[in-house]
Amino acid sequence: MLLVGSLLGMPELRLRLVTGAESLDRPVTRLYGTELPDPARYLSGGELVLSGLLWHRGAADCETFVASLASSGAAALAASPPDAGALPDALVEACERHGVPLLEVPVDLSFAAITERVVLELAAERVGDAGALLGRHRRLLTVVAEGGGLSELLAAGEAELGAPCWVLSCTGHVVAGPELPGAASLVREFLLADRLPKVVRGTTVLPVSARGGSRLTSWILVVSGDRTQDEVAAELASLVGVERARVVQGREIENRAAGPLLRQVLAGGDLSARLAAVGWDADAPLRVLAASVSEGSVEQAVTLVEEVLASVTPGFLVAAVDAEVYALVPSGPWTGGIRTALRTLEPGLRSARVLVGISSPVGHAGLRGAAEEASHARRLGERRTGRTCVVAGEEIALHQLLLAGVPEELRRSLRRRLLGPVLDYDAEHGSDLVGTLRTFLDCSGSWTTAAARLHVHVNTLRYRVGRVEDLLGVDLSNFTERVDLYLALQAG
């Protein structure tokens, strides 16, 4: 392996170490010559950067240039001044500050001579390693070609790399490999990373090809140790991508029946024959899931829902029906798992929101109502905060489900019609009769309980409630009028 220190041992180059003696063990993987003031976008790590400092105009330029090398993982800087003078002090100081080894190039030595010598050295390394590397690649390819599956491929990768490996989904689910503590935090680092592969807490995270190009729906290869420059690790990630494509293709085949089935769920009718056709027990309880993603295509939303459900249950059908994503899932204790999976995904959502509504468990005869319940629950999530929200039907009151199905403009109109005079009175007098009314109704009309909660005397409460009755022209001892006002308060 060619190291920075090895360059100093090449007498024909006559390079002099200016600073960075503690980093001479850095590997050099390629050369890059530049006179750009900020070359970071063209660096991928491990470069010996050659520069004649034509970009230099002052101390600030040195800071910008060296900071870009450090952030990109360059191995070292080999520089010569544009005239016969010394290297700028600001350059030396910046290299010391950022930990970038600085080598001074003699003014009579051309960069072409350095390039030729280093390229020959790197080529010799690759020729020596090529046979062994080719053998390792062939052994991994054989596993895939023979249909060994993801677990066998991962085991072969561990043997070739001599290190434990895992495959994760972006929900934090371990797709292959043993249990991995802290998997969710690794996923968050992966979703936030500007550059991949990346070393995270002693492991390297590598991207596995994602359907549609989104990190949110990709898999992640995790390898113990620093494998950012390991070609076998990169090859393993590529082959895991082949296995992922097989999984995606299998889901597509399984979900061919999902679209017609879910359309019939929404339309109603006897579903027992269709459920039997996909191998499901028509008598087993099922749940309907409705989901939306505020950004991206509906196809990407379907894939995202598939990844989330795959992390919590083995059996499901997913399809887009009229631009909304629905899923049919056997009933089980997986609602909490969906919440956890979505929280893990949140760093990669940026400004997008993912909303999920889940119906109560029903038999096949009740699936149409379950789909409506799930859709209403999802719409109720629109009124809540957070980038992800999961609302289960059995967790919310009936009136909330009913209100979730009412358009926003109609809710505002009803609230205004029923509560308008009190809202206007509060706005004019700076009072809170609306809050008094809400507390009174929440306490089921109990004068003592409501007064205690508001920290007022019962007579004060009676006066305020009387004022509400006068403004609205209602009698709050009437149960029907109480219900109407309660719903109007909830509609806000």
Side-chain angles (χ1 to χ4, degrees):
M1 179 181 293
L2 180 60
L3 306 178
V4 173
S6 305
L7 301 172
L8 299 173
M10 298 176 180
E12 67 273 32
L13 298 185
R14 295 176 285 128
L15 300 176
R16 182 179 72 87
L17 179 65
V18 179
T19 183
E22 70 282 358
S23 302
L24 296 180
D25 59 348
R26 289 185 179 180
V28 176
T29 57
R30 71 186 187 102
L31 287 105
Y32 179 70
T34 183
E35 299 302 336
L36 294 173
D38 184 356
R41 63 189 296 185
Y42 301 105
L43 302 175
S44 57
E47 293 87 356
L48 172 63
V49 177
L50 305 176
S51 179
L53 310 187
L54 299 181
W55 45 264
H56 177 255
R57 295 293 182 273
D61 295 335
C62 294
E63 173 63 24
T64 300
F65 184 82
V66 176
S68 73
L69 302 190
S71 66
S72 304
L77 169 62
S80 65
D83 51 35
L87 295 175
D89 291 339
L91 179 66
V92 178
E93 292 168 2
C95 287
E96 289 176 346
R97 187 163 50 253
H98 291 283
V100 175
L102 175 59
L103 311 180
E104 184 175 11
V105 179
V107 293
D108 61 340
L109 181 69
S110 70
F111 284 169
I114 299 175
T115 301
E116 182 180 359
R117 180 68 177 85
V118 173
V119 167
L120 287 173
E121 190 74 23
L122 292 174
E125 274 188 10
R126 287 169 183 150
V127 169
D129 292 340
L133 186 62
L134 183 59
R136 298 165 84 182
H137 286 189
R138 282 177 176 169
R139 287 190 290 272
L140 292 176
L141 282 168
T142 299
V143 174
V144 176
E146 294 179 353
L150 184 57
S151 295
E152 189 173 332
L153 174 61
L154 198 65
E158 290 184 341
E160 298 296 341
L161 291 165
C165 300
W166 299 264
V167 176
L168 309 178
S169 74
C170 279
T171 62
H173 171 58
V174 178
V175 180
E179 183 179 351
L180 180 59
S185 60
L186 286 176
V187 170
R188 293 188 185 101
E189 293 276 0
F190 169 83
L191 291 171
L192 292 170
D194 293 327
R195 190 186 299 270
L196 292 168
K198 178 180 180 181
V199 178
V200 181
R201 292 191 304 282
T203 64
T204 304
V205 291
L206 300 96
V208 173
S209 57
R211 178 181 174 184
S214 170
R215 281 196 194 180
L216 287 172
T217 54
S218 71
W219 281 357
I220 307 164
L221 174 65
V222 180
V223 184
S224 181
D226 184 349
R227 305 288 174 157
T228 53
Q229 303 297 324
D230 195 315
E231 292 187 41
V232 176
E235 176 74 6
L236 179 59
S238 176
L239 293 176
V240 170
V242 174
E243 292 300 318
R244 167 154 172 68
R246 289 179 178 176
V247 170
V248 170
Q249 185 178 29
R251 285 182 189 166
E252 289 175 346
I253 294 172
E254 291 174 359
N255 279 334
R256 282 175 184 168
L261 175 56
L262 286 164
R263 286 187 180 88
Q264 189 169 344
V265 165
L266 296 176
D270 187 1
L271 296 165
S272 54
R274 282 195 179 274
L275 291 171
V278 297
W280 286 13
D281 183 357
D283 295 324
L286 300 169
R287 291 180 187 260
V288 178
L289 181 148
S292 64
V293 183
S294 62
E295 297 177 7
S297 66
V298 68
E299 290 78 12
Q300 289 173 325
V302 168
T303 305
L304 181 61
V305 171
E306 288 175 345
E307 286 301 315
V308 170
L309 287 175
S311 68
V312 296
T313 181
F316 56 86
L317 293 173
V318 180
V321 180
D322 298 330
E324 187 164 15
V325 179
Y326 288 92
L328 195 60
V329 191
S331 181
W334 39 257
T335 301
I338 289 180
R339 287 194 174 97
T340 300
L342 289 176
R343 280 196 296 270
T344 302
L345 281 170
E346 281 189 359
L349 291 175
R350 310 303 182 192
S351 59
R353 294 193 75 206
V354 179
L355 307 176
V356 176
I358 303 173
S359 76
S360 305
V362 296
H364 69 88
L367 283 174
R368 181 180 181 182
E372 292 178 354
E373 181 184 26
S375 185
H376 288 328
R378 183 197 61 76
R379 287 198 291 273
L380 188 63
E382 294 175 356
R383 303 169 64 190
R384 299 185 179 180
T385 59
R387 282 179 290 177
T388 63
C389 183
V390 179
V391 181
E394 60 263 50
E395 297 174 1
I396 56 181
L398 177 60
H399 73 273
Q400 290 177 307
L401 278 175
L402 295 175
L403 286 172
V406 177
E408 182 68 30
E409 289 187 6
L410 180 56
R411 287 202 302 269
R412 287 198 298 267
S413 174
L414 291 173
R415 176 181 170 85
R416 182 69 200 174
R417 178 165 64 83
L418 291 171
L419 296 173
V422 175
L423 294 170
D424 293 340
Y425 184 90
D426 281 348
E428 181 179 351
H429 295 87
S431 57
D432 189 21
L433 290 181
V434 169
T436 297
L437 175 62
R438 187 188 302 276
T439 301
F440 181 69
L441 295 179
D442 284 343
C443 294
S444 302
S446 169
W447 296 103
T448 54
T449 303
R453 186 173 297 180
L454 290 168
H455 305 290
V456 299
H457 194 274
V458 171
N459 289 340
T460 301
L461 176 62
R462 290 185 183 277
Y463 170 78
R464 292 180 183 176
V465 171
R467 192 79 185 98
V468 170
E469 290 177 321
D470 290 342
L471 288 167
L472 299 182
V474 299
D475 178 5
L476 285 176
S477 65
N478 183 294
F479 178 75
T480 301
E481 291 183 333
R482 282 191 187 183
V483 170
D484 286 347
L485 291 175
Y486 182 81
L487 291 175
L489 289 167
Q490 296 299 315

